[in-house]
């Protein structure tokens, strides 16, 4: 009797189980709207679900570009879902859409088709520019509105372990919206570069690779200059006591050692009668006045580099007895913020019509733009060196005015200072009304022959 009862219960359970397996969730599809819009790397599916309380979610199944099964789920809380996982532009991709109720029962699937656009890792190369840059190369790219994937940038160099030719990884980065401009400086010195750019999707699959050979590396070197190669047409304020003049523009002293040593004396008037700067000072009314550099031979200019002083503790303005009221206010309001540089291969005449624009420095002169000033460290007294030994441990304060990396040679460079920083006093008043400017040092860099 017990055995017959157990058999009957098993039969009933099996019967119900069979009925569940055979049952299919059949929701109403009235009001269902589905539209596919191709996007980069896939399609955006816009939808409006039927007004059926039995529907809990909608499933979309398709295969990505690797042939892998993909399941996307969505519901009433949204109105779109991204069908991604593709690299190339394609048409007629099958998608099977079904509905799910609260009991996890799924309806029969209905087949749809959608199209895609090239993905970011593929189309990355369509707007990619790999070009020469000083001491390396530059990668410039734009990207679509929907971005996915990674980029790896290599160049053909020497493997430091094997000492054999190999691909050297420079950088790996995700593709970003709106693109980017990336500069790569190489430690290995090469005259020409072969650049390899490779992209992959976020699953680690390689999407595309392109090779860019014969990119000029534009290796640079400092070109030695002296006061004899410089002409400012009488703008320099020469002072043996204050140590200002053209000779200090090319003496190799970058940080202000002369000034720091002089500041160690408590009784300055008894010693020299004035403060010491060891720098170049131009004026009055030196804005828009030319300075001409003679490179002595035709060279491809890379950039000019200008320096300014470190701050000094206490009041270290040059005595009014030296140059009137030149240094009343601050040091930084004599530091250039806007400079233009031109090149000429035939004439050193600043009024000659053959000058070619090469590059510029253009920073906001206003006191409020402190974080963007290249000279901002010169006013931070917390950085003031305690002594010469302390100063020697500091990096110099400088800015480079770079020129395009092209093989155009010039013998002469013309430099125009247009403005200095307006940071004299807390009241915001510019006290450099006589348009002086100062430079601690000036260096010229050129392409190596």
């Amino acid at each position: 009797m017990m055995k017959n009862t157990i058999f009957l219960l098993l039969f009933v359970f099996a019967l119900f189980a069979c009925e569940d397996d055979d049952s299919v969730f059949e929701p109403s599809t009235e009001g269902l709207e589905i539209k596919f819009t191709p996007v980069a790397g896939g399609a955006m599916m816009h939808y409006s679900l039927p007004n059926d309380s039995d529907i809990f979610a909608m499933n979309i199944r398709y295969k990505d570009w690797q042939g892998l099964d993909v399941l996307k789920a969505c519901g009433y809380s949204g109105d779109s879902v991204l069908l991604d996982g593709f690299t190339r532009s394609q048409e007629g991709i099958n998608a099977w859409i079904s509905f799910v109720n609260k009991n996890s029962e799924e309806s029969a699937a209905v087949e749809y088709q959608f199209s895609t656009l090239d993905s970011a890792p593929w189309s990355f190369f369509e707007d990619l520019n790999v070009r020469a840059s000083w001491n390396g190369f530059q990668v410039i790219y734009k990207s679509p509105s929907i971005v996915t994937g990674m980029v790896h940038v290599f160049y053909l160099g020497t493997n430091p372990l094997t000492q054999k030719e190999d691909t050297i990884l420079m950088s790996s980065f995700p593709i970003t919206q709106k693109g980017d401009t990336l500069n790569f400086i190489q430690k290995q010195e090469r005259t020409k570069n072969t650049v390899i750019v490779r992209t992959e999707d976020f699953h680690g699959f390689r999407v595309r690779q392109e090779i860019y050979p014969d990119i000029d590396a534009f290796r640079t070197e400092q070109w030695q200059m002296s006061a004899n190669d410089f002409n400012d047409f009488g703008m320099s304020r020469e002072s043996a006591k204050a140590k200002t003049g053209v000779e200090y523009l090319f003496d190799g002293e970058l940080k202000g050692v002369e000034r720091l040593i002089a500041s160690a004396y408590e009784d300055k008037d008894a010693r020299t009668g004035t403060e010491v700067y060891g720098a170049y000072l131009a004026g009055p009314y030196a804005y828009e006045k030319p300075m001409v550099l003679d490179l002595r031979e035709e060279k491809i200019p890379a950039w000019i580099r200008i320096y300014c002083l470190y701050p000094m503790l206490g009041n270290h303005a040059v005595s009014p007895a030296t140059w009137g009221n030149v240094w009343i206010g601050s040091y930084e309001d004599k530091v250039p913020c806007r400079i233009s540089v031109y090149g000429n291969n035939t004439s050193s005449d600043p009024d000659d019509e053959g000058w070619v624009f090469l590059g510029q420095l253009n920073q906001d002169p206003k006191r409020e733009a402190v974080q963007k000033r290249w000279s901002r460290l010169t006013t931070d007294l917390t950085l003031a060196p305690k002594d010469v030994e302390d100063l020697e441990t500091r990096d110099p304060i400088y800015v480079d005015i770079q020129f395009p990396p092209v093989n155009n040679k010039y013998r002469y460079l013309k430099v125009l200072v247009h403005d200095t920083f307006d940071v004299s006093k807390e009241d915001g008043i510019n006290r450099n009304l006589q348009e002086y400017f100062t430079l601690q040092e000036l260096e010229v860099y050129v392409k190596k022959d």
Side-chain angles (χ1 to χ4, degrees):
M1 182 67 178
M2 180 65 69
K3 290 182 178 179
N4 291 338
T5 303
I6 294 173
F7 177 80
L8 179 62
L9 290 173
L10 291 174
F11 176 79
V12 172
F13 287 143
L15 178 64
F16 277 104
C18 290
E19 289 179 354
D20 286 345
D21 289 342
D22 293 337
S23 65
V24 177
F25 171 48
E26 298 181 354
S28 170
T29 58
E30 183 179 354
L32 173 65
E33 294 181 5
I34 293 178
K35 178 182 178 181
F36 298 96
T37 302
V39 296
M44 187 66 71
M45 190 186 88
H46 302 273
Y47 65 88
S48 177
L49 290 177
N51 187 18
D52 187 335
S53 59
D54 290 333
I55 295 176
F56 177 71
M58 180 168 62
N59 288 338
I60 307 101
R61 291 180 172 87
Y62 62 92
K63 291 183 181 295
D64 66 12
W65 75 289
Q66 290 286 331
L68 302 176
D69 291 324
V70 179
L71 169 63
K72 299 275 184 165
C74 55
Y76 287 98
S77 60
D79 60 5
S80 63
V81 60
L82 177 63
L83 311 183
D84 55 0
F86 300 91
T87 59
R88 299 298 309 275
S89 173
Q90 291 181 256
E91 295 183 358
I93 300 171
N94 294 323
W96 291 269
I97 297 179
S98 59
F99 300 96
V100 181
N101 63 17
K102 294 181 179 179
N103 296 322
S104 298
E105 296 172 327
E106 190 168 3
S107 72
V110 178
E111 184 177 342
Y112 289 80
Q113 288 191 332
F114 63 91
S115 300
T116 72
L117 301 179
D118 288 338
S119 67
W122 186 272
S123 62
F124 176 85
F125 294 89
E126 306 305 320
D127 287 311
L128 176 65
N129 185 10
V130 179
R131 67 185 189 186
S133 183
W134 297 114
N135 297 311
F137 57 91
Q138 193 173 63
V139 173
I140 304 172
Y141 73 93
K142 298 178 182 178
S143 62
S145 57
I146 296 178
V147 293
T148 59
M150 294 286 296
V151 180
H152 307 286
V153 179
F154 306 82
Y155 76 93
L156 197 61
T158 302
N159 188 315
L161 298 178
T162 65
Q163 298 303 312
K164 294 181 179 180
E165 192 173 63
D166 200 353
T167 51
I168 309 299
L169 178 64
M170 292 293 286
S171 179
S172 296
F173 54 90
I175 302 173
T176 59
Q177 287 186 343
K178 298 182 180 180
D180 204 351
T181 297
L182 304 169
N183 289 297
F184 297 99
I185 306 298
Q186 297 165 274
K187 293 182 179 179
Q188 294 186 12
E189 186 165 331
R190 310 178 73 83
T191 57
K192 296 282 186 178
N193 281 314
T194 295
V195 180
I196 302 101
V197 181
R198 180 185 303 161
T199 57
E200 64 181 37
D201 62 21
F202 282 142
H203 297 292
F205 294 109
R206 182 187 297 189
V207 174
R208 189 174 175 183
Q209 176 175 291
E210 299 291 342
I211 299 174
Y212 303 86
D214 298 324
I215 304 295
D216 195 331
F218 279 90
R219 305 302 299 185
T220 62
E221 63 180 348
Q222 184 180 348
W223 190 247
Q224 293 302 317
M225 304 289 294
S226 70
N228 294 330
D229 306 317
F230 177 83
N231 188 357
D232 66 359
F233 306 94
M235 286 196 303
S236 176
R237 299 299 88 187
E238 303 285 329
S239 171
K241 290 183 177 181
K243 292 190 177 182
T244 59
V246 174
E247 64 177 294
Y248 300 102
L249 199 55
F250 305 100
D251 66 352
E253 205 295 286
L254 309 179
K255 308 176 191 179
V257 171
E258 293 270 11
R259 187 185 183 204
L260 181 59
I261 293 174
S263 70
Y265 291 87
E266 295 183 0
D267 187 3
K268 301 177 182 59
D269 289 339
R271 181 173 56 87
T272 63
T274 185
E275 278 277 6
V276 169
Y277 268 62
Y280 173 78
L281 176 68
Y285 306 107
Y287 296 175
E288 311 296 341
K289 300 294 178 62
M291 298 178 288
V292 175
L293 297 164
D294 183 359
L295 305 184
R296 305 181 301 280
E297 59 182 88
E298 296 180 4
K299 303 297 294 184
I300 299 173
W303 63 81
I304 66 170
R305 177 174 292 176
I306 59 175
Y307 295 79
C308 66
L309 293 168
Y310 264 90
M312 300 294 166
L313 294 173
N315 180 17
H316 299 298
V318 171
S319 168
T322 307
W323 293 120
N325 294 327
V326 172
W327 295 100
I328 290 181
S330 77
Y331 167 80
E332 199 181 11
D333 68 6
K334 266 70 71 177
V335 174
C337 64
R338 290 177 179 166
I339 296 176
S340 295
V341 184
Y342 301 81
N344 194 320
N345 194 39
T346 59
S347 175
S348 62
D349 181 354
D351 297 322
D352 184 79
E353 295 182 355
W355 291 99
V356 177
F357 176 77
L358 298 180
Q360 66 178 357
L361 171 70
N362 188 7
Q363 295 189 355
D364 192 338
K366 296 180 181 178
R367 180 169 54 90
E368 293 78 8
V370 60
Q371 293 303 320
K372 296 182 179 180
R373 297 200 303 261
W374 72 272
S375 59
R376 65 187 179 278
L377 298 181
T378 198
T379 58
D380 188 349
L381 292 181
T382 62
L383 298 176
K386 301 183 180 76
D387 49 38
V388 173
E389 288 74 20
D390 186 15
L391 182 60
E392 288 178 351
T393 65
R394 311 292 184 88
D395 293 327
I397 305 171
Y398 66 86
V399 66
D400 292 336
I401 305 174
Q402 289 201 2
F403 313 136
V406 293
N407 287 308
N408 294 333
K409 292 186 176 182
Y410 302 96
R411 174 171 172 172
Y412 305 102
L413 300 179
K414 179 172 69 172
V415 181
L416 293 178
V417 173
H418 305 296
D419 200 0
T420 56
F421 292 106
D422 299 339
V423 291
S424 295
K425 292 291 185 181
E426 289 302 317
D427 56 18
I429 298 175
N430 178 18
R431 285 176 168 76
N432 187 18
L433 299 178
Q434 291 184 301
E435 298 181 353
Y436 281 86
F437 70 84
T438 185
L439 299 173
Q440 176 62 20
E441 190 81 4
L442 188 152
E443 294 176 345
V444 177
Y445 290 79
V446 300
K447 183 183 179 183
K448 283 186 177 180
D449 291 330

